[in-house]
Amino acid sequence: MRTAEGGAAEGGDPGHAGLADLFARPFLETVWRRRTHRVSRGAAVPAGSMSYRSPHEPRPLSELEEAVLIALTGCTGLTMPDRPFDDPRDGKPIMAKPNMTMAGRTAGSPDNAQGTHFFLINDSGTYFLRRLPPAPSTPLDATSLVARARQAKVRVLDHRLDVAEDRRDFPAYLDSNRFLSNLPGTTVLFPVVDLSHQYINALMYLLTQPDDVRPTLVDDRNFYQPAGVKKWVKNGFLNGDIKLPLGALGPLRTQIEADLLLQNLMLSAEAMGLGAWIHASINPQIALGDPKFSRAYGRMLGFTFVTPRWRLPDLWRWHVPLPKYASLRSQPVGLTSPDGEPLIEAACPPAHRTMTEAVDAVIRAKFGPGGTYGDKEVFARIYKEEYGQRYLAEASEYEERVIDCTRDICEYILRTHRRFPAHTDAIHVPGVWLQVHHVETEYYDKFFADGLTDAHRSHEGLWDD
């Protein structure tokens, strides 16, 4: 086995020259030299006098190259609940268990919600990447990486997620992207974000504020009326003078994790000497199979959509003029594998009969048996000595008033707007994806003064089996 300059990464021999080079490559060098390389092996670039057509066949990523990228989308160890338990102003306990999971990832997420799921698209099909238990904190060797990647992949389509060749234009693809995006030989990583579970969790976190500054949720799509919280204002639990519109919550920043993960993936692909390109994906509604587009483009990924039944108030609340336009408010709520396995289930109907049941399911997932804060062994691994048990005993959880008020808000949203959430989608699609490919090195050498890094130039010798 050849050994790259710099040797193996700390933690042992990675068992592969390309991995050894990747583990030893300076981070700042990769960041400083990061540039988008859109032209993949085998591609053609129609550009007037600078037109170029590759003399090569497309060359897909190897299983190991894809396995590295798959590992970077997943869990990488355990995180730390390093937050205060008490308000330093008066010593009162503050809620200190907001996390949805204690598994660490390569990018941060509000309350560690980790709502981002990835699809991987290559020449052999389209795959959902299943969340695996946390990997060791040190880099894995080649054999382990490939084994974990195989465990993670669930094939949902036996072909590339794409539209017909004669439909590769707007609204499916944007402008010049359609000539270089999602081509044979490329690997595409496509994120979608389940906002629903964190939407419920974040509502509870909002309601843990001190008594005098706990906000009153109002509905900006219903004349700014209290969002199911009149009794909570009346009994003093909420401050009626501090009004927070549901629309202002948006996706509660949960979608940011996907963007951070894409950037990490792009930097890692660059360090491997691959081309990496974050750009507009297929229109998200088309890609997921929104009923507004499925007649023209097919079911695509085949997400389950819910379309609220039209009612007269939808005219002024959501500007939906007639029942025949009800699909304007359709939203994705889940995905099932070809074998019937639920892959994504939003915390709302139809996965739950009521929003009270959905809220209770979130609570159980956090505090019930085997839940995030119910597994003492996990905290024994996070903390030294007996500090894990101290944390579980001393850190406060959501009080019952917080949970009850959240139930009322969520029930109000579903009752009033016939979907949950109403002001954002249960499953959000950022609308960008990352394409990774082998670079057409001759193209960059021909036209650009500094188009390639040493990682690109040495890639073939290090990574080819």
Side-chain angles (χ1 to χ4, degrees):
M1 178 66 67
R2 293 167 294 180
T3 302
E5 185 177 352
E10 182 181 355
D13 181 3
H16 189 277
L19 281 179
D21 180 75
L22 174 64
F23 294 165
R25 189 164 294 280
F27 172 71
L28 287 179
E29 173 188 291
T30 300
V31 173
W32 193 258
R33 296 293 307 277
R34 186 219 62 79
R35 298 294 183 270
T36 297
H37 292 81
R38 296 172 179 82
V39 181
S40 60
R41 193 79 163 172
V45 184
S49 63
M50 293 175 60
S51 293
Y52 178 89
R53 180 171 294 277
S54 171
H56 307 290
E57 290 295 317
R59 191 173 75 209
L61 300 191
S62 70
E63 190 174 18
L64 175 59
E65 288 167 338
E66 283 193 346
V68 173
L69 300 173
I70 291 171
L72 290 163
T73 70
C75 299
T76 55
L78 296 172
T79 190
M80 300 175 292
D82 49 351
R83 60 180 72 243
F85 299 174
D86 308 309
D87 189 328
R89 299 170 298 182
D90 54 20
K92 290 183 178 179
I94 56 178
M95 210 291 292
K97 294 178 179 176
N99 280 17
M100 295 290 286
T101 175
M102 297 311 299
R105 205 170 188 180
T106 60
S109 177
D111 299 333
N112 204 30
Q114 295 191 18
T116 305
H117 300 277
F118 273 95
F119 292 87
L120 183 142
I121 306 165
N122 62 24
D123 290 347
S124 67
T126 300
Y127 301 85
F128 174 82
L129 299 182
R130 193 196 314 274
R131 195 77 53 81
L132 299 181
S137 56
T138 53
L140 297 167
D141 60 33
T143 301
S144 299
L145 282 165
V146 169
R148 282 181 65 85
R150 290 175 180 173
Q151 281 183 275
K153 292 168 69 174
V154 179
R155 191 156 79 164
V156 294
L157 298 172
D158 62 2
H159 55 273
R160 280 185 177 271
L161 176 70
D162 207 348
V163 299
E165 185 65 30
D166 61 354
R167 308 210 70 163
R168 268 189 162 236
D169 50 19
F170 191 83
Y173 279 89
L174 284 175
D175 196 38
S176 62
N177 285 1
R178 65 187 186 272
F179 300 111
L180 295 174
S181 181
N182 202 15
L183 297 182
T186 66
T187 291
V188 176
L189 287 150
F190 178 50
V192 304
V193 187
D194 176 1
L195 301 179
S196 62
H197 293 78
Q198 174 59 6
Y199 196 96
I200 292 171
N201 188 55
L203 284 176
M204 288 189 282
Y205 199 29
L206 272 173
L207 298 176
T208 64
Q209 306 310 304
D211 288 341
D212 54 341
V213 294
R214 196 176 292 119
T216 296
L217 276 295
V218 296
D219 188 353
D220 44 325
R221 293 282 184 167
N222 192 23
F223 305 108
Y224 290 87
Q225 295 297 303
V229 296
K230 286 182 180 179
K231 77 173 185 181
W232 298 101
V233 176
K234 187 176 180 179
N235 67 21
F237 180 66
L238 302 181
N239 186 334
D241 294 327
I242 303 177
K243 294 181 171 58
L244 179 59
L246 289 172
L249 298 179
L252 289 161
R253 305 184 183 93
T254 310
Q255 84 288 358
I256 292 173
E257 180 195 33
D259 301 326
L260 298 174
L261 286 165
L262 285 174
Q263 177 69 356
N264 285 348
L265 285 161
M266 182 175 192
L267 290 173
S268 300
E270 280 283 305
M272 293 167 70
L274 295 167
W277 177 28
I278 298 175
H279 61 286
S281 66
I282 295 175
N283 180 303
Q285 293 171 309
I286 294 173
L288 269 61
D290 190 308
K292 292 187 288 294
F293 294 94
S294 58
R295 181 173 297 179
Y297 293 96
R299 295 189 70 246
M300 302 295 279
L301 283 171
F303 271 71
T304 300
F305 277 76
V306 166
T307 301
R309 181 172 60 83
W310 186 88
R311 293 180 299 172
L312 184 60
D314 289 347
L315 177 61
W316 57 84
R317 288 175 181 159
W318 300 100
H319 308 285
V320 181
L322 293 168
K324 68 179 181 178
Y325 299 116
S327 64
L328 291 171
R329 299 190 59 228
S330 297
Q331 72 160 343
V333 295
L335 177 69
T336 302
S337 76
D339 296 333
E341 176 191 358
L343 300 176
I344 303 175
E345 287 186 311
C348 61
H352 302 279
R353 188 174 58 86
T354 67
M355 285 312 302
T356 291
E357 291 183 3
V359 172
D360 292 348
V362 171
I363 293 293
R364 283 196 304 275
K366 291 187 64 169
F367 304 113
T372 300
Y373 296 99
D375 191 340
K376 295 181 179 180
E377 181 185 345
V378 167
F379 290 88
R381 291 163 57 198
I382 292 172
Y383 283 96
K384 292 182 177 180
E385 301 171 359
E386 79 285 357
Y387 292 118
Q389 300 314 305
R390 290 191 189 183
Y391 168 79
L392 291 174
E394 297 175 17
S396 297
E397 301 175 0
Y398 296 122
E399 61 173 297
E400 199 58 37
R401 292 185 303 168
V402 167
I403 298 171
D404 286 343
C405 186
T406 300
R407 290 188 184 113
D408 287 349
I409 294 168
C410 294
E411 288 286 3
Y412 164 86
I413 292 172
L414 184 62
R415 181 175 66 251
T416 304
H417 299 289
R418 298 294 179 96
R419 53 171 269 184
F420 181 90
H423 300 68
T424 189
D425 281 346
I427 296 174
H428 167 81
V429 185
V432 291
W433 59 17
L434 172 73
Q435 178 170 299
V436 182
H437 50 249
H438 289 110
V439 174
E440 180 71 13
T441 54
E442 293 92 333
Y443 169 80
Y444 289 96
D445 276 337
K446 180 175 182 178
F447 293 111
F448 297 97
D450 193 23
L452 299 170
T453 67
D454 66 320
H456 295 119
R457 296 190 185 284
S458 63
H459 175 87
E460 186 171 350
L462 292 171
W463 287 89
D464 279 5
D465 295 327

